Amino acid sequence: PGLQGGLSALMNSSSPGIALIGGAGTGKTQLIASLAGYWVQKNIYEPGEVLAITFTNTGVSMLSDRILQTTEEKGAGIEVTGIEGFCLTLLSRIYKVTPRIFDKKDRSHFITLIFPFLSHEQRQRLTAYISNPGKGEKRDEDQDFPHLRDTYFHSLYNIGVCDRDVLPLQTTQLITNHPGILLSIQQKYKCIFIDDLHYMNNNHYSLLSQVILHTLFLETETKNNQKVVISLDPFQETMTSASGHSSRTFVSRFINQH
């Protein structure tokens, strides 16, 4: 039933990109686990070459359990992470340690740390930005916005913390400024699964477009045996509403490249 009927064909597919699209209960997560298990057990990929990303803590736990059930001990080396954990892994390559994440309650303290180094106008503008940093994509018309954003991110680097609301944006900036990180992702991971893509937002889109669409598909050849598998529920409210624009755009680009 559901998507499982096509499992055999997918296991032997030569396509570098596979999209699993179906409603709730059609077996998307189980299919990902089955594919991961088959490819690892057949030595098509080593466990350390496989990365599985999802968007919720519940999703991470469910995907981890199902992969382990499918692969047994050999699957223990497969990296299963949430999008936040993936960001922290990349950021830690620059921080040299895993940075601490803060939320709104930490921002007032952060402001007191950096205010002595700012002019009155900078303080006003940065305070306004920090009050809602996740809305940065709507400020493209502000010529000073990129500088303001970069000032904020640089300040975060200096005190070893990350802002959860803009964690994907902060990570995107990092890998843009450090091309070697993209190369390391490309070299390490030969197979990437992204489960529950319907939870993607604008910030996630920037990051995953850079990592998945650009790095793996535009700069590599299929002879490297790299593969990306995505799954999503097209009937989720996040996909059908205006806020689902990022997910729909990503999926459209993903499919059109294959």
Side-chain angles (χ1 to χ4, degrees):
L3 295 170
Q4 291 293 317
L7 177 59
S8 178
L10 291 174
M11 284 177 169
N12 300 295
S13 172
S14 61
S15 173
I18 296 173
L20 308 175
I21 302 176
T26 53
K28 298 182 297 297
T29 299
Q30 183 58 49
L31 190 50
I32 283 178
S34 297
L35 290 173
Y38 178 82
W39 289 334
V40 166
Q41 289 175 336
K42 292 294 183 179
N43 296 316
I44 296 172
Y45 300 108
E46 293 296 323
E49 295 176 334
V50 180
L51 171 67
I53 302 173
T54 189
F55 292 84
T56 65
N57 292 333
T58 300
V60 171
S61 178
M62 181 182 299
L63 189 54
S64 296
D65 289 345
R66 294 191 181 184
I67 287 178
L68 285 176
Q69 289 171 6
T70 305
T71 60
E72 299 179 346
E73 293 183 3
K74 196 168 185 180
I78 294 176
E79 184 176 349
V80 182
T81 183
I83 190 70
E84 186 174 284
F86 180 60
C87 289
L88 289 176
T89 296
L90 297 180
L91 287 170
S92 65
R93 300 187 184 193
I94 295 299
Y95 281 83
K96 305 305 181 185
V97 295
T98 301
R100 184 176 70 86
I101 292 181
F102 72 33
D103 294 301
K104 293 179 180 178
K105 63 183 179 181
D106 297 292
R107 291 191 184 123
S108 59
H109 176 61
F110 170 78
I111 290 173
T112 64
L113 290 177
I114 66 169
F115 263 20
F117 307 100
L118 303 176
S119 67
H120 177 70
E121 182 180 357
Q122 286 176 321
R123 293 177 186 182
Q124 288 184 317
R125 290 175 58 76
L126 194 58
T127 300
Y129 173 76
I130 292 173
S131 67
N132 199 358
K135 298 299 182 182
E137 68 277 1
K138 296 183 178 180
R139 303 180 188 178
D140 292 340
E141 69 281 359
D142 184 347
Q143 294 182 350
D144 292 331
F145 168 69
H147 174 68
L148 193 64
R149 178 198 59 204
D150 293 348
T151 298
Y152 181 47
F153 288 168
H154 183 68
S155 300
L156 292 176
Y157 294 149
N158 287 342
I159 60 174
V161 299
C162 299
D163 186 330
R164 178 174 276 114
D165 283 0
V166 285
L167 186 59
L169 283 178
Q170 197 174 347
T171 308
T172 302
Q173 185 198 46
L174 165 69
I175 61 178
T176 299
N177 294 339
H178 298 83
I181 292 181
L182 283 176
L183 180 60
S184 69
I185 296 171
Q186 181 181 356
Q187 292 174 336
K188 180 176 181 180
Y189 301 115
K190 303 300 183 185
C191 181
I192 298 180
F193 296 95
I194 306 178
D195 197 18
D196 291 338
L197 194 67
H198 45 266
Y199 288 118
M200 172 187 282
N201 61 32
N202 289 339
N203 292 340
H204 300 146
Y205 175 81
S206 298
L207 173 64
L208 293 178
S209 292
Q210 184 85 321
V211 172
I212 304 301
L213 298 180
H214 292 179
T215 303
L216 294 182
F217 287 151
L218 299 184
E219 299 178 4
T220 63
E221 302 292 336
T222 55
K223 65 183 180 182
N224 290 334
N225 197 30
Q226 290 181 300
K227 195 177 293 290
V228 176
V229 180
I230 64 173
S231 81
L232 70 147
D233 180 350
F235 306 110
Q236 283 282 341
E237 182 180 352
T238 50
M239 284 295 292
T240 57
S241 67
S243 62
H245 173 72
S246 295
S247 299
R248 295 192 298 272
T249 301
F250 184 93
V251 173
S252 177
R253 290 181 61 195
F254 182 91
I255 293 175
N256 287 339
Q257 287 179 324
H258 305 285

